[in-house]
């Protein structure tokens, strides 16, 4: 075994050295002073055409459509990782290490991130000495560079630090290794640029609280709130500090307190709230169980499907319950946060049969009777198919008769699976006021206009913090609903909510008479809803 490990290590070193030699020709084309530098460029330029005239000394953040960094190393990343631990072979170094980025604004460290080990290919980190990565891309280029920039700006303090005016932005790159503590090497590349921040001009008339028009379908609330806070929020949205927000609706004590629209949306807009639609699958299952079309949430998959007809059959798959799928604890090897997961939703969408895809997936190797939580969009397709099979006239007509019509919701749009079944994975479009009705139904423990549309027990079970989420201390999951707390003025308020890509939320507060709907189109971008809630909306409307 020792000889085998030594052989692997020697092969790794030989491979790296040969790659370094192969890159000498590239390095010879780059002037010596660029080694160890990060440069900023607008366009995507092939290395052979790259020259000093392409390097930016400054850029205007507001008007910037494309911004790339190109950095030059003396040797590939794996070489620097070997300096941090000389005993590990190359493949293990790359599995435990990567680049560390530090962002300085006006010489103050604002954000530091150790790139996930999966960022970048093994070949790139073993051989490349010249890297080009987008920070801002008009084509939304799929790259760790773009997502790193968004995390710096949205979560790492970048937007707060880059206030209106000119600032210096300095970036340093180091190697890091997790062993399991973090070891960091010396700076291997650094660069600096001037950022000119230009905010859109807004006038007082634009940031005023928007008046609620007639015929909303809601009684208008006479509750007071902090209009100045709302004006500050409106200004942030109009100046694009909070990007891509399309609507905010607040219901307080079952009355309409606030209704505002942005970025071309209005009361008639049907918003694509993505995975908010998953929660509706939970609602319809609760109604179907009450109507006795489905026995209960403890029914197992083998009740509905001959699982041996699908790929990767195992006896354990027979034991998966509706409840497991509602709680994202099926044990199936599907994780939408992991691009390498076979059951990742992006692998499902191109297939001709989403149900087949969902049931074909293997069980996770880590799966046990106490299955771990893993966000598995394809699992909600199974739930939708079960509903479609068991309720009269299919899922779509049943949803209209038993949920939408009683709530007075007439104008909405489903998306569909390839089998033309209403898509319970997401994409159900409604107006903001109708989403508010759905949230208020849960706030009312399933009652609407004195009619018990949804069983009270189902509502309480669905919204309850049933399972703690990984990598968080105080966030939970119920039956296709999320759960957490917001702390305002040292008081914590529990809230359950629907959540969809882009910043779409329906909040149902437990101990406050509040339902809040926020819609947005910031798809695949870090959203700023938590900041909107904690710093503006809740302080403005909590008594």
């Amino acid at each position: 075994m020792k000889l085998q490990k030594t052989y692997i290590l020697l092969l790794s070193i030989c491979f790296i050295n040969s790659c370094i030699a192969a890159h000498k020709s590239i390095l010879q084309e780059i002037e010596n002073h660029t080694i160890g530098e990060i440069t900023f460029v607008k366009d995507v330029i092939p290395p052979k055409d790259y020259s000093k005239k392409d390097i930016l000394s400054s850029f205007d953040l507001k008007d910037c459509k494309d911004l790339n960094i190109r950095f030059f190393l003396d040797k590939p990343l794996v070489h620097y990782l070997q300096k941090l631990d000389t005993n590990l072979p190359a493949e293990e170094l790359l599995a435990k290490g990567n680049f560390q980025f530090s962002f300085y604004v006006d010489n103050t460290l604002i954000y530091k991130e150790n790139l996930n080990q999966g960022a970048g290919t093994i070949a790139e980190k073993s051989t490349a000495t010249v890297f080009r990565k987008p920070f801002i891309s008009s084509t939304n280029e799929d790259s760790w560079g773009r997502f790193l920039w968004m995390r710096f700006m949205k979560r790492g303090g970048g937007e707060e630090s880059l206030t209106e005016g000119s600032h210096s932005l300095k970036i340093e790159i180091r190697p890091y290794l997790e062993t399991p503590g973090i070891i960091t090497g010396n700076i291997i590349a650094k660069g600096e640029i001037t950022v000119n921040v230009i905010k859109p001009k807004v006038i007082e008339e634009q940031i005023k609280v928007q008046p609620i028009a007639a015929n909303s379908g809601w009684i208008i609330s006479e509750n007071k709130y902090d209009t100045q806070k709302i004006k500050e929020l409106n200004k942030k949205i109009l100046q694009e500090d909070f990007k891509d927000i399309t609507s905010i609706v607040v219901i307080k004590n079952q009355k309409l307190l606030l209704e505002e629209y942005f970025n071309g949306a209005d009361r008639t807009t049907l918003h694509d709230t993505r995975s908010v639609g998953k929660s509706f699958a939970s609602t319809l299952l609760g109604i179907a169980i009450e109507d006795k079309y489905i026995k209960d949430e403890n029914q197992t998959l083998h009740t509905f499907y001959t699982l041996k007809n699908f790929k990767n059959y195992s006896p354990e798959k027979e034991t998966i319950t509706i409840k497991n799928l509602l709680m994202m604890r099926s044990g199936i090897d599907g994780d939408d946060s992991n691009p390498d997961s076979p059951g990742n939703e992006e692998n499902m969408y191109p297939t001709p049969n989403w149900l087949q895809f969902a049931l074909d997936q293997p069980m996770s190797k880590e799966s046990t009777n106490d299955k771990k939580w893993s966000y598995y969009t394809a699992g909600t397709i199974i739930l939708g198919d079960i509903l479609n099979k068991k309720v009269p006239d299919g899922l779509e007509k049943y949803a209209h008769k038993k949920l939408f019509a009683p709530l007075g919701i007439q104008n909405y749009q489903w998306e569909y699976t390839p089998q033309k079944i209403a898509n319970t994975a997401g994409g159900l479009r409604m107006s903001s006021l109708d989403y508010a009705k759905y949230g208020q139904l849960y706030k009312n423990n399933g009652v609407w206009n004195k009619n018990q549309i949804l069983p009270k027990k189902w509502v309480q079970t669905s919204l309850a913090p049933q399972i703690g989420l990984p990598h968080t201390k105080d966030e939970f999951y119920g039956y296709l609903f999320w759960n957490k707390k917001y702390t305002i003025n040292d008081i914590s308020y529990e809230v359950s909510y629907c959540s969809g890509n882009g910043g779409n939320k329906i909040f149902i507060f437990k101990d406050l008479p509040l339902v809040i709907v926020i819609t947005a189109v910031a798809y695949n971008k870090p959203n700023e809803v938590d900041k909107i809630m904690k710093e503006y909306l809740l302080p403005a409307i909590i008594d």
Side-chain angles (χ1 to χ4, degrees):
M1 185 62 70
K2 289 183 178 179
L3 287 173
Q4 185 181 15
K5 286 184 176 180
T6 304
Y7 180 67
I8 291 172
L9 179 59
L10 288 172
L11 281 179
S12 300
I13 294 170
C14 291
F15 174 70
I16 293 164
N17 288 337
S18 65
C19 291
I20 292 171
H23 278 73
K24 288 295 185 183
S25 59
I26 295 176
L27 292 174
Q28 287 169 358
E29 295 178 9
I30 302 171
E31 295 186 17
N32 288 332
H33 75 275
T34 59
I35 301 297
E37 286 195 7
I38 303 170
T39 59
F40 300 82
V41 294
K42 178 181 178 182
D43 301 312
V44 179
I45 305 166
K48 62 183 181 63
D49 299 327
Y50 184 72
S51 65
K52 281 185 180 179
K53 64 180 177 60
D54 300 308
I55 299 174
L56 299 175
S57 59
S58 68
F59 73 97
D60 296 340
L61 185 59
K62 175 183 178 294
D63 298 323
C64 189
K65 298 287 191 285
D66 291 277
L67 178 67
N68 297 270
I69 58 167
R70 192 185 292 276
F71 57 96
F72 306 86
L73 306 179
D74 189 33
K75 293 179 174 64
L77 171 64
V78 72
H79 168 84
Y80 298 104
L81 295 177
Q82 282 184 322
K83 287 187 174 182
L84 300 179
D85 192 326
T86 57
N87 296 318
L88 293 179
E91 63 272 20
E92 209 170 325
L93 289 167
L94 294 172
K96 295 182 176 181
N98 209 328
F99 293 115
Q100 180 189 85
F101 275 74
S102 299
F103 291 80
Y104 296 80
V105 176
D106 299 327
N107 294 316
T108 299
L109 177 62
I110 301 300
Y111 183 64
K112 183 183 291 185
E113 178 176 320
N114 297 325
L115 282 185
N116 184 286
Q117 287 91 342
T121 66
I122 291 175
E124 181 180 51
K125 290 180 283 188
S126 299
T127 66
T129 55
V130 181
F131 291 78
R132 196 278 310 171
K133 296 295 172 184
F135 272 177
I136 303 171
S137 170
S138 56
T139 61
N140 290 330
E141 182 179 344
D142 187 9
S143 166
W144 58 257
R146 191 167 67 88
F147 295 110
L148 171 66
W149 176 260
M150 286 192 290
R151 289 190 293 273
F152 158 63
M153 290 295 288
K154 301 296 183 184
R155 299 176 185 170
E159 286 192 340
E160 291 83 353
S161 302
L162 293 170
T163 55
E164 191 162 16
S166 294
H167 302 270
S168 69
L169 173 65
K170 181 172 67 175
I171 299 174
E172 296 174 346
I173 302 176
R174 296 173 174 84
Y176 87 89
L177 197 61
E178 190 172 357
T179 64
I182 301 296
I183 305 173
T184 307
N186 296 325
I187 295 172
I188 54 177
K190 62 182 179 179
E192 191 167 350
I193 191 169
T194 298
V195 181
N196 303 310
V197 182
I198 305 168
K199 300 284 187 182
K201 299 299 180 185
V202 295
I203 59 175
E204 184 70 18
E205 186 65 24
Q206 291 175 293
I207 65 173
K208 287 171 59 177
V209 178
Q210 298 173 25
I212 297 174
N215 303 315
S216 68
W218 292 84
I219 297 172
I220 307 303
S221 174
E222 295 181 359
N223 271 95
K224 302 298 182 183
Y225 56 88
D226 187 341
T227 56
Q228 185 58 38
K229 271 286 181 190
I230 302 302
K231 287 168 66 175
E232 291 172 12
L233 172 59
N234 290 350
K235 184 176 181 180
K236 286 277 188 179
I237 293 171
L238 291 169
Q239 288 191 325
E240 300 177 5
D241 290 321
F242 298 143
K243 292 181 174 62
D244 302 323
I245 302 298
T246 50
S247 75
I248 297 174
V249 167
V250 177
I251 307 298
K252 188 172 185 180
N253 290 313
Q254 303 190 57
K255 297 178 182 180
L256 181 56
L257 180 70
L258 196 66
E259 181 190 12
E260 301 209 298
Y261 299 98
F262 309 93
N263 293 309
D266 59 30
R267 183 179 280 179
T268 65
T269 300
L270 300 183
H271 302 276
D272 180 3
T273 56
R274 303 293 172 93
S275 288
V276 164
K278 287 182 171 70
S279 299
F280 286 79
S282 174
T283 308
L284 293 168
L285 277 161
I287 296 173
I289 290 170
E290 179 71 8
D291 286 347
K292 302 189 186 309
Y293 295 119
I294 296 171
K295 182 182 177 182
D296 57 38
E297 67 265 43
N298 295 311
Q299 278 191 272
T300 54
L301 285 189
H302 86 278
T303 310
F304 307 100
Y305 304 102
T306 304
L307 294 171
K308 289 183 178 180
N309 293 342
F310 295 88
K311 294 178 183 177
N312 297 302
Y313 171 78
S314 72
E316 190 179 0
K317 198 178 284 189
E318 301 263 5
T319 68
I320 296 172
T321 64
I322 289 174
K323 181 177 179 178
N324 292 148
L325 292 168
L326 285 167
M327 294 178 65
M328 298 286 182
R329 297 180 71 183
S330 67
I332 294 175
D333 193 358
D335 183 354
D336 293 346
S337 67
N338 179 4
D340 296 324
S341 170
N344 186 289
E345 64 176 318
E346 296 302 330
N347 297 328
M348 177 182 74
Y349 295 128
T351 66
N353 189 320
W354 294 356
L355 177 71
Q356 179 89 35
F357 173 89
L359 292 175
D360 276 347
Q361 298 310 311
M363 297 299 290
S364 171
K365 294 177 181 177
E366 300 176 17
S367 178
T368 65
N369 289 331
D370 185 25
K371 300 176 180 70
K372 69 173 186 175
W373 187 90
S374 180
Y375 195 79
Y376 182 48
T377 286
T380 59
I381 295 296
I382 301 173
L383 295 175
D385 187 74
I386 290 171
L387 277 165
N388 196 61
K389 290 176 186 296
K390 302 303 288 186
V391 300
D393 299 321
L395 167 59
E396 188 173 357
K397 289 184 178 179
Y398 187 75
H400 182 80
K401 179 181 178 181
K402 302 293 291 190
L403 179 62
F404 300 144
L407 290 175
I409 298 173
Q410 298 294 330
N411 192 17
Y412 59 91
Q413 292 177 356
W414 283 104
E415 289 185 359
Y416 299 92
T417 71
Q419 280 61 54
K420 308 303 180 186
I421 298 172
N423 179 15
T424 46
L428 174 61
R429 302 183 185 210
M430 289 184 182
S431 71
S432 302
L433 290 178
D434 283 344
Y435 280 125
K437 290 181 181 179
Y438 177 72
Q440 190 64 48
L441 173 68
Y442 274 82
K443 183 63 183 170
N444 295 348
N445 279 316
V447 174
W448 188 262
N449 286 340
K450 299 182 180 180
N451 295 317
Q452 192 78 44
I453 295 174
L454 184 61
K456 179 179 179 180
K457 183 179 179 182
W458 186 265
V459 169
Q460 294 174 341
T461 303
S462 299
L463 302 186
Q466 296 202 44
I467 178 173
L469 299 184
H471 312 304
T472 64
K473 292 182 179 179
D474 54 359
E475 295 191 25
F476 303 88
Y477 206 71
Y479 283 4
L480 297 178
F481 281 84
W482 307 76
N483 180 285
K484 65 180 177 183
K485 292 180 180 178
Y486 281 118
T487 300
I488 309 296
N489 296 326
D490 297 324
I491 301 175
S492 292
Y493 301 98
E494 184 179 335
V495 62
S496 300
Y497 61 103
C498 320
S499 181
N501 189 347
N504 294 286
K505 313 283 182 182
I506 304 174
F507 293 103
I508 305 124
F509 281 83
K510 182 178 181 180
D511 299 315
L512 290 172
L514 291 176
V515 170
I516 298 176
V517 174
I518 297 178
T519 63
V521 291
Y523 303 122
N524 299 319
K525 302 175 185 177
N527 73 73
E528 299 150 305
V529 173
D530 275 347
K531 191 168 185 179
I532 289 172
M533 291 288 285
K534 288 188 288 188
E535 296 185 13
Y536 296 93
L537 273 181
L538 292 178
I541 62 182
I542 291 177
D543 293 332

